Structure formats: structure tokens, C-alpha cells
Amino acid sequence: MTQTTAQRTATPRHYLMCPPTYFDVVYAINPWMDPSSPVDSAKALAQWEALRAAYEARGHRVDVIEPEPGLPDMVYAANGGIVVGGRALAARFTHAERAAEGPAYDRWFETSGEPAYRRLGEAVETMEGEGDLLLVGKVLLAGTGFRTTPAGHAEVAERLELAAQGIELVPLELVDPRYYHLDTALSVLDDGAVSGETVVAYHPEAFSPAAQETLRALFPDAILVGADDAAVLGLNVVSDGLHVFLSEHAKDYADALKERGFVPVGIDLSEIFKGGGSVKCCTLELRPAPDAIAAITVTPEEDQR
């Protein structure tokens, strides 16, 4: 395991989440979904609330979008769009069952009253938000193969004006249907802005040989996560540069994070897992334009021991 001397630092984040008020598994659009397995709605809500509380306890801001009846997967807020440099583009989903989620998230961008974000409307091409689009400093990793299309990548690059922001879009092909979104197969842990060290983790077998080669070239010191932790969606994490919020069942991955100077925060999302998502799926990061970032800090707390 690669060791590090980098100093990890938590930086304040702004997240959007959607309560699992209507969450259920009533259809199957990924290998994790089994409509015959009942969902405990009260437990799902309690687990979601615990995740939200974990973010807020570490100084992060969480906004909440109102869930809509008939959209059981709306809890997976990361899929609702992407916000980079204050530009907010709502998703366009592959499956008809989720099609109305894009307009719902677009309405939130329109009515949230946030001057820090410029609403761009819905994507024209198939694009499932931060499910397939993960920002690592000045690189936007863009998954394809199951959901977001290459045409969706091109639209994102144009409408978010990535080139003007100095951001390069790098496509990565996914090949295992269990890891249908990029955020189920790869974690962004540190963008290097504070520590000087860019760190990601990924499950190699989820990617095509060409994508694996790209990842090795970009991130030679990445944490490689094995099949057992990948299969509990352990890579579906949120990191603030120090704290890594992840499935409490990803034990080996948590140990690897500690060796690299991170503080794992185990989260139980067993009910929400039934829909094929975990921590990151429930969390859309809202990134304002650089000149609109609030001057707030994350207070160090006892779990940094």
C-alpha cells in the first residue's frame, strides 16, 4: 500500500439531498434492484437522516429538494445533474422510469434562490449527472457504457464551458453492469487543492482495458479496491478531503483510507442500497463559481484522532 505524507484537510462543501419519502423498489433497472424485496420506509428515512447529520456535524451545508410522488429513485440526488463553476445542468435519464427526475431537479435549480448558481436547464443528450461525472481538480472523469453517452459528455463540456474553466473531460468506459455509474466504481478522495496530492480509488475490473490504462496514467498512486468492497458499493463515497463517508461494510477499503491519512466515516444505508445506491448516490455536490464561495471553514472535530 502506498504511504503518504500529505496533510489531509477538510474543506466546506455544499450538498443537495432528497429525502427517501417515496423510495421503493418497484422496478428493476440495475442488477441490484429486486422488486420482491420489501423496503422498510421508516428505516430508509432514518438512515438518510443519519447521513445528512454526519455531513452537517462536520461543517457542511446540506440543502434539501422536495421529493415527488411516483419518483422512487429521486433519493439518488447525485444523478439529478451536475454543478461546476456555478453552472447547473440537470440530467436526462436513460430509463423512462426516472425521466421526470431531470425536470424536478431543474426546477430546484430555478427556484432555489441561489445567486451562486446559473441554471442551464435540462441536458438534451443522455446524461445522468454526478452518477457518471466526477470532478478531480481540473479533470472531469466521465463514465459511459451503461447510462451517460459520449454525446452527453460533449454536451456537458460545451454547456458547462469546461475549457474556459481549464477543465479537461476524460471519458472512461464501464463494462460491468453492477457498476453502471462511474460513482459506483470510482471514488474521488482528494483533489489536491490543499494537500497537493490528488487521490482517487477504483475497482479496476469495472473498467475496460483502455479505461484502466487511462486511470493508471492519471493516478498511478490510486487506491485499488477489491471485489468484496466494490460489491457493497464501498466506492460510492463522499469525501471532503479528510473525512470519507462510505458504507460501513467496506472494511478493507476503510483500512486503506486510514493508511493514506483519511478519516473513514462508516454509514449504514442498507435500505437505500436495495435500489443500487449508497452514500454518493444520495449526494449532489453544488460547486459555486470561485468568486461566490463563502468564506467558511470546517471545524476540526474529535473523529480526526
Side-chain angles (χ1 to χ4, degrees):
M1 177 63 65
T2 302
Q3 299 296 318
T4 182
T5 58
Q7 179 63 48
R8 305 294 174 208
T9 303
T11 58
R13 309 297 172 106
H14 184 188
Y15 299 132
L16 180 63
M17 299 179 67
C18 180
T21 307
Y22 304 106
F23 174 66
D24 202 353
V25 180
V26 294
Y27 47 74
I29 58 173
N30 67 57
W32 307 99
M33 303 179 84
D34 179 1
S36 69
S37 179
V39 170
D40 184 330
S41 298
K43 186 176 180 181
L45 181 58
Q47 291 176 343
W48 180 91
E49 291 284 7
L51 175 60
R52 176 184 178 182
Y55 290 149
E56 293 178 336
R58 290 159 183 84
H60 303 302
R61 172 181 170 184
V62 178
D63 283 357
V64 176
I65 183 174
E66 189 70 23
E68 297 191 8
L71 298 178
D73 282 343
M74 195 171 165
V75 65
Y76 301 124
N79 306 156
I82 180 170
V83 184
V84 176
R87 302 175 68 83
L89 181 63
R92 183 171 296 274
F93 287 84
T94 298
H95 294 286
E97 292 88 344
R98 301 193 67 182
E101 292 181 45
Y105 279 92
D106 184 47
R107 286 191 293 274
W108 187 88
F109 292 137
E110 181 179 24
T111 61
S112 66
E114 283 286 347
Y117 304 109
R118 177 183 173 189
R119 169 180 169 259
L120 301 177
E122 295 174 67
V124 175
E125 304 292 343
T126 303
M127 183 278 289
E128 298 201 355
E130 283 197 321
D132 276 323
L133 299 163
L134 298 177
L135 188 64
V136 193
K138 291 297 185 181
V139 174
L140 184 65
L141 300 176
T144 190
F146 298 103
R147 301 293 181 87
T148 301
T149 63
H153 294 170
E155 182 183 7
V156 165
E158 178 182 357
R159 296 183 67 184
L160 293 185
E161 299 181 0
L162 296 184
Q165 298 187 61
I167 297 171
E168 178 187 6
L169 186 144
V170 176
L172 297 169
E173 183 184 11
L174 298 161
V175 295
D176 186 329
R178 293 174 300 170
Y179 309 112
Y180 57 95
H181 275 150
L182 182 62
D183 69 356
T184 65
L186 185 145
S187 308
V188 177
L189 301 171
D190 194 333
D191 63 10
V194 177
S195 70
E197 181 187 34
T198 300
V199 186
V200 306
Y202 63 94
H203 179 53
E205 288 75 16
F207 296 91
S208 69
Q212 291 183 46
E213 184 176 344
T214 297
L215 287 168
R216 284 193 297 268
L218 285 174
F219 310 108
D221 294 326
I223 299 172
L224 303 184
V225 174
D228 290 345
D229 282 353
V232 296
L233 296 182
L235 281 152
N236 193 243
V237 315
V238 168
S239 174
D240 62 19
L242 172 65
H243 308 101
V244 180
F245 306 86
L246 78 165
S247 168
E248 64 180 11
H249 301 294
K251 302 296 187 182
D252 290 341
Y253 184 23
D255 289 342
L257 290 168
K258 292 175 185 176
E259 291 186 27
R260 295 291 289 270
F262 296 98
V263 177
V265 180
I267 303 291
D268 178 13
L269 289 180
S270 56
E271 290 305 303
I272 290 170
F273 177 87
K274 293 177 180 178
S278 188
V279 174
K280 176 55 188 169
C281 286
C282 293
T283 314
L284 174 62
E285 183 166 353
L286 307 178
R287 302 176 183 86
D291 57 2
I293 296 175
I296 60 174
T297 59
V298 175
T299 303
E301 69 165 44
E302 55 207 339
D303 69 352
Q304 296 185 25
R305 59 188 178 273

